[in-house]
Amino acid sequence: MRKQIVAGNWKMNKNVQESIKLANEVVANVKELALNNTRVIVTPTFVNLSSVLKATEGSAVEVAAQNMHQAKSGAFTGEISADMLTSLGIKTVILGHSERREYFGETDAILAEKVNAALENKLEVIFCFGEVLEDRKSENHFNVVESQIKNGLFHLEASAWKNIVLAYEPVWAIGTGETASPEQAQEMHAFIRKIVANKYTKEVAENVSILYGGSVKPSNAKEIFSKEDVDGGLIGGAALNANDFVALVKSF
Ligand code: PGA
């Protein structure tokens, strides 16, 4: 059965002391919960991964990275490799976030390479994609999402999909306070599951967790997470506050 996931993407927020404090607060609050089928992930910036790993050690809270470079090693000043992440104890990496695509020029082709490098290093990938507002207005959103998934992931063997989590994040809803309606999210998630089933098998499609991201907060999470094909959320702003984040974990 696929897992429910609440993943907090801290982006370029929180220095080391603030990261440890937030991680400690999340750990303390999550301890009380019977998580059963729910995974809780926090994603600090690279320089704070070690400290947050230490703060969450022995707890149910997992730690992921926000990005990585596709090359094994080499002259790529300022970049981080998959091996550097796994050697720290990181097991999951977010790839393809719209901010990486938009501000750092990450194309579908680069992302396919990153996905391969991550999987070769036994990292699980949270693969993000989503349309911009113009695509939605011109009713091109299904095509855009399909091509992002196809170009980034459909070269993989079916067996690789056990290490893939999908995150649908309509760009117009990220950090804007505007959320896709639960119906819009469900419609897209069902479409995504259908194209994965068509390319692979129904079993692969049924087992992949599909997260929704874009202004999820305690006041709207319950309704969004209750949709059949929504398996949790990738959370930005609301993940920076422990009470809000834990409220989201409790929203299933
Ligand atoms: P948001 O960000 O929750 O602040 O909209 C979501 C994301 O970028 O993953």
Side-chain angles (χ1 to χ4, degrees):
M1 191 169 84
R2 60 182 183 258
K3 291 263 187 192
Q4 294 168 331
I5 301 173
V6 177
N9 175 9
W10 295 359
K11 308 190 180 181
M12 197 176 74
N13 293 295
K14 308 278 178 193
N15 65 25
V16 67
Q17 289 84 10
E18 291 163 345
S19 296
I20 294 168
K21 183 169 177 281
L22 178 56
N24 284 338
E25 287 168 357
V26 172
V27 167
N29 284 290
V30 159
K31 217 186 325 192
E32 313 299 321
L33 309 177
L35 288 173
N36 298 325
N37 197 40
T38 305
R39 292 172 62 193
V40 180
I41 304 177
V42 295
T43 313
T45 185
F46 289 130
V47 291
N48 295 327
L49 284 172
S50 286
S51 307
V52 171
L53 275 166
K54 204 157 161 233
T56 54
E57 206 175 346
S59 79
V61 179
E62 301 172 45
V63 183
Q66 297 177 16
N67 179 36
M68 50 162 256
H69 195 271
Q70 61 273 33
K72 273 195 169 69
S73 62
F76 299 102
T77 302
E79 290 293 329
I80 308 282
S81 72
D83 174 61
M84 291 170 189
L85 297 177
T86 53
S87 67
L88 280 182
I90 294 295
K91 298 194 170 67
T92 303
V93 62
I94 297 174
L95 294 177
H97 192 281
S98 68
E99 287 148 19
R100 299 296 318 170
R101 293 176 188 260
E102 187 181 347
Y103 307 139
F104 302 97
E106 294 195 6
T107 60
D108 286 347
I110 291 172
L111 290 170
E113 285 183 46
K114 289 193 178 204
V115 167
N116 292 343
L119 295 178
E120 278 163 24
N121 283 275
K122 310 233 168 342
L123 281 164
E124 173 190 53
V125 174
I126 300 178
F127 187 80
C128 308
F129 49 85
E131 81 282 1
V132 297
L133 190 57
E134 295 81 74
D135 298 325
R136 170 101 7 204
K137 281 188 175 154
S138 59
E139 296 187 4
N140 204 27
H141 46 299
F142 292 112
N143 290 335
V144 168
V145 163
E146 182 166 7
S147 86
Q148 287 174 330
I149 294 176
K150 208 162 118 187
N151 296 334
L153 297 174
F154 276 5
H155 61 283
L156 298 174
E157 303 280 333
S159 60
W161 277 73
K162 61 180 183 305
N163 289 316
I164 301 290
V165 171
L166 300 176
Y168 169 56
E169 299 203 297
V171 179
W172 49 271
I174 296 178
T176 58
E178 195 165 337
T179 327
S181 69
E183 291 69 32
Q184 284 173 321
Q186 168 57 27
E187 185 185 34
M188 183 58 87
H189 284 221
F191 170 76
I192 294 162
R193 220 178 284 287
K194 192 182 81 193
I195 59 174
V196 174
N198 289 346
K199 167 72 184 172
Y200 295 95
T201 60
K202 195 157 189 292
E203 197 191 346
V204 171
E206 285 301 319
N207 285 328
V208 67
S209 297
I210 310 177
L211 313 185
Y212 169 79
S215 300
V216 179
K217 41 188 180 274
S219 58
N220 60 23
K222 223 180 183 69
E223 222 190 324
I224 297 173
F225 293 173
S226 70
K227 292 294 175 190
E228 192 184 336
D229 288 295
V230 178
D231 305 310
L234 183 53
I235 318 296
L240 298 175
N241 174 290
N243 288 336
D244 285 349
F245 186 64
V246 173
L248 296 176
V249 178
K250 291 181 185 164
S251 296
F252 287 108

